[in-house]
Amino acid sequence: MEINKLEIVLELFHGKTLAEVAEQYSYTPSAISHMLKSVEADFGIKLFYRDRTGITATPEGRSVFEYMQSAVEAYRVMKCEADKICRMDSGIIRVGAFVSVIVSWLPLIINSFKEEYPHVHFEILQGNYDETLEWIRSGYIDCGFTIKAESYEDLESELVTKDKLYLIYPQDHPLAYEETLDLHSLSQYPFISLNEGSEEFIMNYIRRHDIEFRSICRVMDDFAVVAMVESGMGISIVPELFLSRVPYDVGSRCLDENFYRHIYISYKSNYKISPIIDAFITHVKKWILDNKHIVDRLKVLGD
């Protein structure tokens, strides 16, 4: 049933004549009468008595008018909220990301975006690479930062940066004093694996270069890995982006100039995203381009 028909019936219920309602909505009185009959047919009850003096609500009509009013008011509220989103005055953006993006970029990106769109709210979901991909594909989130999105045809993904992978070790570790890095020599040191979805990515590199790491444990959190390395438990590999905000005293060096992960901003293909989400994705790309000094910054303590 069209909501404007209910609005017209309510005008009649509040005492206006067919002629008055017809003038208000730019219809003929006969068109208004036809709409009223259509609503009565949909409900299966008679809403008004009609005679030469006008129309009067029936008892059955009076019993449903309260619900009719609630339906019209709910529609108006919903329409108002939808209009706000389309005008980008407000709305909610659900974003997924892994730890290094959340601690290094996302607060700065969101704060700068809210300077232009102060009434927009964010819901941030932290997950590993695979979880973020599945959240986007299922529609659970609107967009997210990914590294393996190019292999999914149901995602639209735009590359925002390349992030090198770094070897980290305790400050007094023998690796800190070697001028050149021999990858095969790393097998003699205990290795701590970061199991946030990057393990497969790193292991593929290790296999290609015939490197054997002596793994002693796997942890889910970047901060836990770096804390273990700082304590002398072993060495590890972490993204450059994460090192830009690391609070621990560890040494680091680029593992390989050609060893990096691609970071994308991704969203679901064949899915009409709202203007505010489209604006946020555009803002992410522009922010990373305009803040290259932040994106490329690396704090290598002890070097």
PDB file of all heavy atoms in Angstrom, residues 3-16 21 24-25 32 36 39 43 47-48 55 57 61-62 64-74 76:
ATOM      1  N   ILE A   3       2.140   4.881   0.910  1.00  0.00           N
ATOM      2  CA  ILE A   3       2.012   5.611   2.166  1.00  0.00           C
ATOM      3  C   ILE A   3       1.195   6.886   1.990  1.00  0.00           C
ATOM      4  O   ILE A   3       0.520   7.338   2.918  1.00  0.00           O
ATOM      5  CB  ILE A   3       3.405   5.925   2.751  1.00  0.00           C
ATOM      6  CG1 ILE A   3       3.301   6.219   4.240  1.00  0.00           C
ATOM      7  CG2 ILE A   3       4.067   7.069   2.003  1.00  0.00           C
ATOM      8  CD1 ILE A   3       3.008   5.002   5.075  1.00  0.00           C
ATOM      9  N   ASN A   4       1.209   7.464   0.766  1.00  0.00           N
ATOM     10  CA  ASN A   4       0.459   8.714   0.579  1.00  0.00           C
ATOM     11  C   ASN A   4      -1.053   8.485   0.673  1.00  0.00           C
ATOM     12  O   ASN A   4      -1.816   9.383   1.044  1.00  0.00           O
ATOM     13  CB  ASN A   4       0.822   9.359  -0.745  1.00  0.00           C
ATOM     14  CG  ASN A   4       0.305   8.591  -1.949  1.00  0.00           C
ATOM     15  OD1 ASN A   4       0.522   7.389  -2.033  1.00  0.00           O
ATOM     16  ND2 ASN A   4      -0.366   9.287  -2.864  1.00  0.00           N
ATOM     17  N   LYS A   5      -1.493   7.257   0.377  1.00  0.00           N
ATOM     18  CA  LYS A   5      -2.916   6.952   0.536  1.00  0.00           C
ATOM     19  C   LYS A   5      -3.311   6.988   2.010  1.00  0.00           C
ATOM     20  O   LYS A   5      -4.379   7.492   2.370  1.00  0.00           O
ATOM     21  CB  LYS A   5      -3.227   5.574  -0.054  1.00  0.00           C
ATOM     22  CG  LYS A   5      -3.147   5.521  -1.576  1.00  0.00           C
ATOM     23  CD  LYS A   5      -3.528   4.141  -2.078  1.00  0.00           C
ATOM     24  CE  LYS A   5      -3.460   4.069  -3.598  1.00  0.00           C
ATOM     25  NZ  LYS A   5      -3.821   2.727  -4.108  1.00  0.00           N
ATOM     26  N   LEU A   6      -2.428   6.454   2.869  1.00  0.00           N
ATOM     27  CA  LEU A   6      -2.707   6.503   4.305  1.00  0.00           C
ATOM     28  C   LEU A   6      -2.706   7.948   4.802  1.00  0.00           C
ATOM     29  O   LEU A   6      -3.523   8.325   5.660  1.00  0.00           O
ATOM     30  CB  LEU A   6      -1.665   5.686   5.070  1.00  0.00           C
ATOM     31  CG  LEU A   6      -1.646   4.181   4.830  1.00  0.00           C
ATOM     32  CD1 LEU A   6      -0.610   3.516   5.743  1.00  0.00           C
ATOM     33  CD2 LEU A   6      -3.022   3.570   5.071  1.00  0.00           C
ATOM     34  N   GLU A   7      -1.782   8.758   4.282  1.00  0.00           N
ATOM     35  CA  GLU A   7      -1.740  10.171   4.691  1.00  0.00           C
ATOM     36  C   GLU A   7      -3.044  10.877   4.320  1.00  0.00           C
ATOM     37  O   GLU A   7      -3.574  11.692   5.098  1.00  0.00           O
ATOM     38  CB  GLU A   7      -0.546  10.859   4.017  1.00  0.00           C
ATOM     39  CG  GLU A   7       0.803  10.391   4.532  1.00  0.00           C
ATOM     40  CD  GLU A   7       1.968  11.006   3.773  1.00  0.00           C
ATOM     41  OE1 GLU A   7       1.832  11.256   2.559  1.00  0.00           O
ATOM     42  OE2 GLU A   7       3.020  11.229   4.392  1.00  0.00           O
ATOM     43  N   ILE A   8      -3.578  10.569   3.150  1.00  0.00           N
ATOM     44  CA  ILE A   8      -4.830  11.185   2.704  1.00  0.00           C
ATOM     45  C   ILE A   8      -5.998  10.739   3.580  1.00  0.00           C
ATOM     46  O   ILE A   8      -6.841  11.550   3.989  1.00  0.00           O
ATOM     47  CB  ILE A   8      -5.078  10.839   1.223  1.00  0.00           C
ATOM     48  CG1 ILE A   8      -4.116  11.650   0.353  1.00  0.00           C
ATOM     49  CG2 ILE A   8      -6.528  11.096   0.821  1.00  0.00           C
ATOM     50  CD1 ILE A   8      -4.116  11.240  -1.095  1.00  0.00           C
ATOM     51  N   VAL A   9      -6.052   9.441   3.905  1.00  0.00           N
ATOM     52  CA  VAL A   9      -7.120   8.937   4.771  1.00  0.00           C
ATOM     53  C   VAL A   9      -7.048   9.625   6.133  1.00  0.00           C
ATOM     54  O   VAL A   9      -8.091   9.977   6.725  1.00  0.00           O
ATOM     55  CB  VAL A   9      -7.016   7.413   4.921  1.00  0.00           C
ATOM     56  CG1 VAL A   9      -7.953   6.908   6.005  1.00  0.00           C
ATOM     57  CG2 VAL A   9      -7.334   6.732   3.590  1.00  0.00           C
ATOM     58  N   LEU A  10      -5.860   9.844   6.654  1.00  0.00           N
ATOM     59  CA  LEU A  10      -5.710  10.508   7.949  1.00  0.00           C
ATOM     60  C   LEU A  10      -6.202  11.947   7.897  1.00  0.00           C
ATOM     61  O   LEU A  10      -6.781  12.455   8.872  1.00  0.00           O
ATOM     62  CB  LEU A  10      -4.244  10.467   8.399  1.00  0.00           C
ATOM     63  CG  LEU A  10      -3.745   9.112   8.914  1.00  0.00           C
ATOM     64  CD1 LEU A  10      -2.246   9.143   9.146  1.00  0.00           C
ATOM     65  CD2 LEU A  10      -4.480   8.736  10.198  1.00  0.00           C
ATOM     66  N   GLU A  11      -5.976  12.624   6.769  1.00  0.00           N
ATOM     67  CA  GLU A  11      -6.482  13.991   6.630  1.00  0.00           C
ATOM     68  C   GLU A  11      -8.009  13.996   6.709  1.00  0.00           C
ATOM     69  O   GLU A  11      -8.617  14.871   7.347  1.00  0.00           O
ATOM     70  CB  GLU A  11      -6.018  14.588   5.294  1.00  0.00           C
ATOM     71  CG  GLU A  11      -4.532  14.788   5.156  1.00  0.00           C
ATOM     72  CD  GLU A  11      -3.994  15.894   6.048  1.00  0.00           C
ATOM     73  OE1 GLU A  11      -4.793  16.638   6.665  1.00  0.00           O
ATOM     74  OE2 GLU A  11      -2.760  16.020   6.151  1.00  0.00           O
ATOM     75  N   LEU A  12      -8.624  13.004   6.101  1.00  0.00           N
ATOM     76  CA  LEU A  12     -10.085  12.901   6.160  1.00  0.00           C
ATOM     77  C   LEU A  12     -10.539  12.597   7.577  1.00  0.00           C
ATOM     78  O   LEU A  12     -11.538  13.156   8.060  1.00  0.00           O
ATOM     79  CB  LEU A  12     -10.567  11.804   5.206  1.00  0.00           C
ATOM     80  CG  LEU A  12     -10.335  12.058   3.716  1.00  0.00           C
ATOM     81  CD1 LEU A  12     -10.666  10.800   2.910  1.00  0.00           C
ATOM     82  CD2 LEU A  12     -11.170  13.255   3.236  1.00  0.00           C
ATOM     83  N   PHE A  13      -9.810  11.745   8.274  1.00  0.00           N
ATOM     84  CA  PHE A  13     -10.152  11.391   9.647  1.00  0.00           C
ATOM     85  C   PHE A  13     -10.078  12.608  10.562  1.00  0.00           C
ATOM     86  O   PHE A  13     -10.848  12.746  11.516  1.00  0.00           O
ATOM     87  CB  PHE A  13      -9.211  10.299  10.142  1.00  0.00           C
ATOM     88  CG  PHE A  13      -9.397   9.955  11.595  1.00  0.00           C
ATOM     89  CD1 PHE A  13     -10.534   9.282  12.031  1.00  0.00           C
ATOM     90  CD2 PHE A  13      -8.453  10.314  12.540  1.00  0.00           C
ATOM     91  CE1 PHE A  13     -10.726   8.978  13.367  1.00  0.00           C
ATOM     92  CE2 PHE A  13      -8.633  10.013  13.878  1.00  0.00           C
ATOM     93  CZ  PHE A  13      -9.768   9.343  14.301  1.00  0.00           C
ATOM     94  N   HIS A  14      -9.136  13.523  10.262  1.00  0.00           N
ATOM     95  CA  HIS A  14      -8.983  14.716  11.102  1.00  0.00           C
ATOM     96  C   HIS A  14      -9.942  15.837  10.724  1.00  0.00           C
ATOM     97  O   HIS A  14      -9.817  16.962  11.230  1.00  0.00           O
ATOM     98  CB  HIS A  14      -7.544  15.217  11.019  1.00  0.00           C
ATOM     99  CG  HIS A  14      -6.547  14.292  11.678  1.00  0.00           C
ATOM    100  ND1 HIS A  14      -6.675  13.872  12.973  1.00  0.00           N
ATOM    101  CD2 HIS A  14      -5.424  13.693  11.206  1.00  0.00           C
ATOM    102  CE1 HIS A  14      -5.664  13.075  13.292  1.00  0.00           C
ATOM    103  NE2 HIS A  14      -4.888  12.937  12.236  1.00  0.00           N
ATOM    104  N   GLY A  15     -10.926  15.547   9.857  1.00  0.00           N
ATOM    105  CA  GLY A  15     -12.020  16.497   9.647  1.00  0.00           C
ATOM    106  C   GLY A  15     -12.038  17.233   8.332  1.00  0.00           C
ATOM    107  O   GLY A  15     -12.963  18.013   8.078  1.00  0.00           O
ATOM    108  N   LYS A  16     -11.044  17.031   7.486  1.00  0.00           N
ATOM    109  CA  LYS A  16     -11.053  17.736   6.208  1.00  0.00           C
ATOM    110  C   LYS A  16     -12.019  17.057   5.242  1.00  0.00           C
ATOM    111  O   LYS A  16     -12.260  15.852   5.319  1.00  0.00           O
ATOM    112  CB  LYS A  16      -9.652  17.763   5.601  1.00  0.00           C
ATOM    113  CG  LYS A  16      -8.677  18.643   6.381  1.00  0.00           C
ATOM    114  CD  LYS A  16      -7.322  18.738   5.685  1.00  0.00           C
ATOM    115  CE  LYS A  16      -6.382  19.655   6.472  1.00  0.00           C
ATOM    116  NZ  LYS A  16      -5.056  19.753   5.827  1.00  0.00           N
ATOM    117  N   VAL A  21      -8.950  18.071   0.873  1.00  0.00           N
ATOM    118  CA  VAL A  21      -7.804  17.156   0.721  1.00  0.00           C
ATOM    119  C   VAL A  21      -7.361  17.111  -0.736  1.00  0.00           C
ATOM    120  O   VAL A  21      -6.163  17.067  -1.043  1.00  0.00           O
ATOM    121  CB  VAL A  21      -8.170  15.750   1.227  1.00  0.00           C
ATOM    122  CG1 VAL A  21      -7.032  14.769   0.936  1.00  0.00           C
ATOM    123  CG2 VAL A  21      -8.478  15.789   2.711  1.00  0.00           C
ATOM    124  N   GLN A  24      -5.316  20.136  -1.402  1.00  0.00           N
ATOM    125  CA  GLN A  24      -4.033  20.052  -0.701  1.00  0.00           C
ATOM    126  C   GLN A  24      -3.035  19.184  -1.456  1.00  0.00           C
ATOM    127  O   GLN A  24      -1.850  19.510  -1.543  1.00  0.00           O
ATOM    128  CB  GLN A  24      -4.246  19.492   0.714  1.00  0.00           C
ATOM    129  CG  GLN A  24      -2.962  19.318   1.513  1.00  0.00           C
ATOM    130  CD  GLN A  24      -3.243  18.766   2.907  1.00  0.00           C
ATOM    131  OE1 GLN A  24      -4.380  18.810   3.396  1.00  0.00           O
ATOM    132  NE2 GLN A  24      -2.201  18.243   3.549  1.00  0.00           N
ATOM    133  N   TYR A  25      -3.521  18.055  -2.021  1.00  0.00           N
ATOM    134  CA  TYR A  25      -2.621  17.098  -2.678  1.00  0.00           C
ATOM    135  C   TYR A  25      -2.659  17.207  -4.208  1.00  0.00           C
ATOM    136  O   TYR A  25      -2.058  16.388  -4.891  1.00  0.00           O
ATOM    137  CB  TYR A  25      -2.983  15.675  -2.257  1.00  0.00           C
ATOM    138  CG  TYR A  25      -2.553  15.350  -0.848  1.00  0.00           C
ATOM    139  CD1 TYR A  25      -3.393  15.606   0.241  1.00  0.00           C
ATOM    140  CD2 TYR A  25      -1.300  14.794  -0.592  1.00  0.00           C
ATOM    141  CE1 TYR A  25      -2.998  15.305   1.536  1.00  0.00           C
ATOM    142  CE2 TYR A  25      -0.900  14.497   0.699  1.00  0.00           C
ATOM    143  CZ  TYR A  25      -1.759  14.754   1.761  1.00  0.00           C
ATOM    144  OH  TYR A  25      -1.362  14.467   3.052  1.00  0.00           O
ATOM    145  N   ILE A  32      -9.548  11.347  -4.935  1.00  0.00           N
ATOM    146  CA  ILE A  32      -9.428  11.101  -3.497  1.00  0.00           C
ATOM    147  C   ILE A  32     -10.420  10.034  -3.062  1.00  0.00           C
ATOM    148  O   ILE A  32     -10.106   9.133  -2.273  1.00  0.00           O
ATOM    149  CB  ILE A  32      -9.673  12.407  -2.705  1.00  0.00           C
ATOM    150  CG1 ILE A  32      -8.604  13.451  -3.053  1.00  0.00           C
ATOM    151  CG2 ILE A  32      -9.678  12.122  -1.213  1.00  0.00           C
ATOM    152  CD1 ILE A  32      -7.196  13.053  -2.679  1.00  0.00           C
ATOM    153  N   LEU A  36      -9.604   6.381  -1.305  1.00  0.00           N
ATOM    154  CA  LEU A  36     -10.234   5.933  -0.068  1.00  0.00           C
ATOM    155  C   LEU A  36     -10.839   4.535  -0.238  1.00  0.00           C
ATOM    156  O   LEU A  36     -10.661   3.661   0.614  1.00  0.00           O
ATOM    157  CB  LEU A  36     -11.316   6.933   0.350  1.00  0.00           C
ATOM    158  CG  LEU A  36     -12.147   6.559   1.574  1.00  0.00           C
ATOM    159  CD1 LEU A  36     -11.253   6.285   2.781  1.00  0.00           C
ATOM    160  CD2 LEU A  36     -13.155   7.671   1.889  1.00  0.00           C
ATOM    161  N   VAL A  39      -8.066   1.944  -0.195  1.00  0.00           N
ATOM    162  CA  VAL A  39      -7.576   1.621   1.138  1.00  0.00           C
ATOM    163  C   VAL A  39      -8.564   0.719   1.867  1.00  0.00           C
ATOM    164  O   VAL A  39      -8.173  -0.248   2.537  1.00  0.00           O
ATOM    165  CB  VAL A  39      -7.303   2.910   1.953  1.00  0.00           C
ATOM    166  CG1 VAL A  39      -6.947   2.573   3.409  1.00  0.00           C
ATOM    167  CG2 VAL A  39      -6.189   3.722   1.313  1.00  0.00           C
ATOM    168  N   PHE A  43      -7.847  -3.027   3.402  1.00  0.00           N
ATOM    169  CA  PHE A  43      -8.072  -3.375   4.803  1.00  0.00           C
ATOM    170  C   PHE A  43      -9.221  -4.372   4.964  1.00  0.00           C
ATOM    171  O   PHE A  43      -9.294  -5.105   5.954  1.00  0.00           O
ATOM    172  CB  PHE A  43      -8.384  -2.124   5.616  1.00  0.00           C
ATOM    173  CG  PHE A  43      -7.172  -1.285   5.928  1.00  0.00           C
ATOM    174  CD1 PHE A  43      -7.327   0.021   6.354  1.00  0.00           C
ATOM    175  CD2 PHE A  43      -5.887  -1.802   5.814  1.00  0.00           C
ATOM    176  CE1 PHE A  43      -6.221   0.803   6.652  1.00  0.00           C
ATOM    177  CE2 PHE A  43      -4.782  -1.030   6.111  1.00  0.00           C
ATOM    178  CZ  PHE A  43      -4.941   0.281   6.523  1.00  0.00           C
ATOM    179  N   LEU A  47     -14.137   2.343   6.287  1.00  0.00           N
ATOM    180  CA  LEU A  47     -13.510   3.332   7.161  1.00  0.00           C
ATOM    181  C   LEU A  47     -14.405   4.544   7.415  1.00  0.00           C
ATOM    182  O   LEU A  47     -14.303   5.161   8.483  1.00  0.00           O
ATOM    183  CB  LEU A  47     -12.184   3.808   6.556  1.00  0.00           C
ATOM    184  CG  LEU A  47     -11.101   2.733   6.361  1.00  0.00           C
ATOM    185  CD1 LEU A  47      -9.888   3.325   5.639  1.00  0.00           C
ATOM    186  CD2 LEU A  47     -10.671   2.158   7.717  1.00  0.00           C
ATOM    187  N   PHE A  48     -15.258   4.899   6.436  1.00  0.00           N
ATOM    188  CA  PHE A  48     -16.094   6.100   6.566  1.00  0.00           C
ATOM    189  C   PHE A  48     -17.522   5.824   6.069  1.00  0.00           C
ATOM    190  O   PHE A  48     -17.732   5.023   5.165  1.00  0.00           O
ATOM    191  CB  PHE A  48     -15.513   7.253   5.725  1.00  0.00           C
ATOM    192  CG  PHE A  48     -14.202   7.793   6.222  1.00  0.00           C
ATOM    193  CD1 PHE A  48     -13.000   7.296   5.732  1.00  0.00           C
ATOM    194  CD2 PHE A  48     -14.167   8.799   7.179  1.00  0.00           C
ATOM    195  CE1 PHE A  48     -11.797   7.804   6.179  1.00  0.00           C
ATOM    196  CE2 PHE A  48     -12.968   9.308   7.632  1.00  0.00           C
ATOM    197  CZ  PHE A  48     -11.769   8.805   7.134  1.00  0.00           C
ATOM    198  N   ILE A  55     -18.390  13.013   5.090  1.00  0.00           N
ATOM    199  CA  ILE A  55     -17.998  11.669   5.496  1.00  0.00           C
ATOM    200  C   ILE A  55     -17.733  11.650   6.993  1.00  0.00           C
ATOM    201  O   ILE A  55     -17.297  12.642   7.580  1.00  0.00           O
ATOM    202  CB  ILE A  55     -16.737  11.182   4.738  1.00  0.00           C
ATOM    203  CG1 ILE A  55     -15.559  12.117   4.999  1.00  0.00           C
ATOM    204  CG2 ILE A  55     -17.016  11.072   3.233  1.00  0.00           C
ATOM    205  CD1 ILE A  55     -14.265  11.621   4.393  1.00  0.00           C
ATOM    206  N   ALA A  57     -16.201   8.976  10.204  1.00  0.00           N
ATOM    207  CA  ALA A  57     -15.469   7.742  10.481  1.00  0.00           C
ATOM    208  C   ALA A  57     -16.370   6.681  11.073  1.00  0.00           C
ATOM    209  O   ALA A  57     -17.222   6.967  11.921  1.00  0.00           O
ATOM    210  CB  ALA A  57     -14.318   8.024  11.440  1.00  0.00           C
ATOM    211  N   GLY A  61     -13.222   2.134  11.464  1.00  0.00           N
ATOM    212  CA  GLY A  61     -12.189   3.078  11.047  1.00  0.00           C
ATOM    213  C   GLY A  61     -11.469   3.688  12.234  1.00  0.00           C
ATOM    214  O   GLY A  61     -10.236   3.781  12.263  1.00  0.00           O
ATOM    215  N   ARG A  62     -12.263   4.090  13.249  1.00  0.00           N
ATOM    216  CA  ARG A  62     -11.642   4.701  14.436  1.00  0.00           C
ATOM    217  C   ARG A  62     -10.707   3.724  15.144  1.00  0.00           C
ATOM    218  O   ARG A  62      -9.719   4.122  15.745  1.00  0.00           O
ATOM    219  CB  ARG A  62     -12.733   5.185  15.397  1.00  0.00           C
ATOM    220  CG  ARG A  62     -13.433   6.456  14.927  1.00  0.00           C
ATOM    221  CD  ARG A  62     -14.252   7.076  16.054  1.00  0.00           C
ATOM    222  NE  ARG A  62     -15.375   6.213  16.444  1.00  0.00           N
ATOM    223  CZ  ARG A  62     -16.590   6.251  15.894  1.00  0.00           C
ATOM    224  NH1 ARG A  62     -16.830   7.116  14.921  1.00  0.00           N
ATOM    225  NH2 ARG A  62     -17.544   5.450  16.300  1.00  0.00           N
ATOM    226  N   VAL A  64      -8.689   1.607  13.773  1.00  0.00           N
ATOM    227  CA  VAL A  64      -7.402   1.400  13.080  1.00  0.00           C
ATOM    228  C   VAL A  64      -6.648   2.693  12.819  1.00  0.00           C
ATOM    229  O   VAL A  64      -5.473   2.656  12.438  1.00  0.00           O
ATOM    230  CB  VAL A  64      -7.604   0.654  11.734  1.00  0.00           C
ATOM    231  CG1 VAL A  64      -8.227  -0.706  11.963  1.00  0.00           C
ATOM    232  CG2 VAL A  64      -8.417   1.486  10.764  1.00  0.00           C
ATOM    233  N   PHE A  65      -7.300   3.841  13.037  1.00  0.00           N
ATOM    234  CA  PHE A  65      -6.640   5.109  12.715  1.00  0.00           C
ATOM    235  C   PHE A  65      -5.375   5.341  13.547  1.00  0.00           C
ATOM    236  O   PHE A  65      -4.403   5.911  13.066  1.00  0.00           O
ATOM    237  CB  PHE A  65      -7.620   6.286  12.885  1.00  0.00           C
ATOM    238  CG  PHE A  65      -8.614   6.392  11.774  1.00  0.00           C
ATOM    239  CD1 PHE A  65      -9.938   6.688  12.041  1.00  0.00           C
ATOM    240  CD2 PHE A  65      -8.220   6.182  10.461  1.00  0.00           C
ATOM    241  CE1 PHE A  65     -10.861   6.775  11.021  1.00  0.00           C
ATOM    242  CE2 PHE A  65      -9.144   6.263   9.430  1.00  0.00           C
ATOM    243  CZ  PHE A  65     -10.477   6.567   9.710  1.00  0.00           C
ATOM    244  N   GLU A  66      -5.390   4.900  14.808  1.00  0.00           N
ATOM    245  CA  GLU A  66      -4.208   5.083  15.653  1.00  0.00           C
ATOM    246  C   GLU A  66      -3.006   4.345  15.063  1.00  0.00           C
ATOM    247  O   GLU A  66      -1.887   4.875  15.028  1.00  0.00           O
ATOM    248  CB  GLU A  66      -4.491   4.580  17.067  1.00  0.00           C
ATOM    249  CG  GLU A  66      -3.299   4.733  18.007  1.00  0.00           C
ATOM    250  CD  GLU A  66      -3.617   4.222  19.406  1.00  0.00           C
ATOM    251  OE1 GLU A  66      -4.812   4.012  19.713  1.00  0.00           O
ATOM    252  OE2 GLU A  66      -2.653   4.023  20.175  1.00  0.00           O
ATOM    253  N   TYR A  67      -3.234   3.129  14.580  1.00  0.00           N
ATOM    254  CA  TYR A  67      -2.150   2.350  13.976  1.00  0.00           C
ATOM    255  C   TYR A  67      -1.716   2.942  12.633  1.00  0.00           C
ATOM    256  O   TYR A  67      -0.537   2.933  12.272  1.00  0.00           O
ATOM    257  CB  TYR A  67      -2.606   0.903  13.784  1.00  0.00           C
ATOM    258  CG  TYR A  67      -2.996   0.236  15.077  1.00  0.00           C
ATOM    259  CD1 TYR A  67      -4.342   0.045  15.397  1.00  0.00           C
ATOM    260  CD2 TYR A  67      -2.030  -0.181  15.993  1.00  0.00           C
ATOM    261  CE1 TYR A  67      -4.716  -0.552  16.584  1.00  0.00           C
ATOM    262  CE2 TYR A  67      -2.399  -0.787  17.186  1.00  0.00           C
ATOM    263  CZ  TYR A  67      -3.737  -0.966  17.483  1.00  0.00           C
ATOM    264  OH  TYR A  67      -4.089  -1.552  18.664  1.00  0.00           O
ATOM    265  N   MET A  68      -2.712   3.473  11.919  1.00  0.00           N
ATOM    266  CA  MET A  68      -2.418   4.121  10.648  1.00  0.00           C
ATOM    267  C   MET A  68      -1.520   5.348  10.875  1.00  0.00           C
ATOM    268  O   MET A  68      -0.548   5.590  10.137  1.00  0.00           O
ATOM    269  CB  MET A  68      -3.730   4.534   9.977  1.00  0.00           C
ATOM    270  CG  MET A  68      -3.605   4.839   8.495  1.00  0.00           C
ATOM    271  SD  MET A  68      -5.197   5.348   7.792  1.00  0.00           S
ATOM    272  CE  MET A  68      -6.210   3.914   8.138  1.00  0.00           C
ATOM    273  N   GLN A  69      -1.828   6.109  11.930  1.00  0.00           N
ATOM    274  CA  GLN A  69      -1.037   7.282  12.270  1.00  0.00           C
ATOM    275  C   GLN A  69       0.395   6.874  12.627  1.00  0.00           C
ATOM    276  O   GLN A  69       1.359   7.510  12.208  1.00  0.00           O
ATOM    277  CB  GLN A  69      -1.683   8.018  13.449  1.00  0.00           C
ATOM    278  CG  GLN A  69      -0.950   9.293  13.880  1.00  0.00           C
ATOM    279  CD  GLN A  69      -1.125  10.406  12.870  1.00  0.00           C
ATOM    280  OE1 GLN A  69      -2.252  10.735  12.488  1.00  0.00           O
ATOM    281  NE2 GLN A  69      -0.016  10.991  12.432  1.00  0.00           N
ATOM    282  N   SER A  70       0.522   5.799  13.395  1.00  0.00           N
ATOM    283  CA  SER A  70       1.858   5.324  13.790  1.00  0.00           C
ATOM    284  C   SER A  70       2.666   4.897  12.576  1.00  0.00           C
ATOM    285  O   SER A  70       3.875   5.149  12.488  1.00  0.00           O
ATOM    286  CB  SER A  70       1.742   4.148  14.774  1.00  0.00           C
ATOM    287  OG  SER A  70       1.117   4.556  15.974  1.00  0.00           O
ATOM    288  N   ALA A  71       1.996   4.237  11.616  1.00  0.00           N
ATOM    289  CA  ALA A  71       2.681   3.781  10.407  1.00  0.00           C
ATOM    290  C   ALA A  71       3.191   4.967   9.590  1.00  0.00           C
ATOM    291  O   ALA A  71       4.320   4.958   9.090  1.00  0.00           O
ATOM    292  CB  ALA A  71       1.746   2.914   9.574  1.00  0.00           C
ATOM    293  N   VAL A  72       2.360   6.005   9.470  1.00  0.00           N
ATOM    294  CA  VAL A  72       2.755   7.189   8.699  1.00  0.00           C
ATOM    295  C   VAL A  72       3.904   7.910   9.397  1.00  0.00           C
ATOM    296  O   VAL A  72       4.879   8.342   8.755  1.00  0.00           O
ATOM    297  CB  VAL A  72       1.554   8.129   8.502  1.00  0.00           C
ATOM    298  CG1 VAL A  72       2.008   9.467   7.927  1.00  0.00           C
ATOM    299  CG2 VAL A  72       0.524   7.485   7.589  1.00  0.00           C
ATOM    300  N   GLU A  73       3.838   8.034  10.722  1.00  0.00           N
ATOM    301  CA  GLU A  73       4.911   8.702  11.458  1.00  0.00           C
ATOM    302  C   GLU A  73       6.219   7.926  11.357  1.00  0.00           C
ATOM    303  O   GLU A  73       7.298   8.509  11.199  1.00  0.00           O
ATOM    304  CB  GLU A  73       4.499   8.869  12.922  1.00  0.00           C
ATOM    305  CG  GLU A  73       3.401   9.903  13.123  1.00  0.00           C
ATOM    306  CD  GLU A  73       2.948   9.979  14.572  1.00  0.00           C
ATOM    307  OE1 GLU A  73       3.446   9.180  15.392  1.00  0.00           O
ATOM    308  OE2 GLU A  73       2.087  10.842  14.862  1.00  0.00           O
ATOM    309  N   ALA A  74       6.128   6.583  11.445  1.00  0.00           N
ATOM    310  CA  ALA A  74       7.332   5.755  11.328  1.00  0.00           C
ATOM    311  C   ALA A  74       7.962   5.912   9.947  1.00  0.00           C
ATOM    312  O   ALA A  74       9.189   5.986   9.803  1.00  0.00           O
ATOM    313  CB  ALA A  74       6.990   4.292  11.599  1.00  0.00           C
ATOM    314  N   ARG A  76       7.738   8.547   8.002  1.00  0.00           N
ATOM    315  CA  ARG A  76       8.342   9.877   7.900  1.00  0.00           C
ATOM    316  C   ARG A  76       9.697   9.930   8.597  1.00  0.00           C
ATOM    317  O   ARG A  76      10.648  10.544   8.104  1.00  0.00           O
ATOM    318  CB  ARG A  76       7.393  10.916   8.504  1.00  0.00           C
ATOM    319  CG  ARG A  76       6.156  11.173   7.643  1.00  0.00           C
ATOM    320  CD  ARG A  76       5.143  12.032   8.359  1.00  0.00           C
ATOM    321  NE  ARG A  76       3.986  12.315   7.507  1.00  0.00           N
ATOM    322  CZ  ARG A  76       2.855  12.874   7.935  1.00  0.00           C
ATOM    323  NH1 ARG A  76       2.725  13.178   9.233  1.00  0.00           N
ATOM    324  NH2 ARG A  76       1.866  13.100   7.111  1.00  0.00           N
TER     325      ARG A  76
END
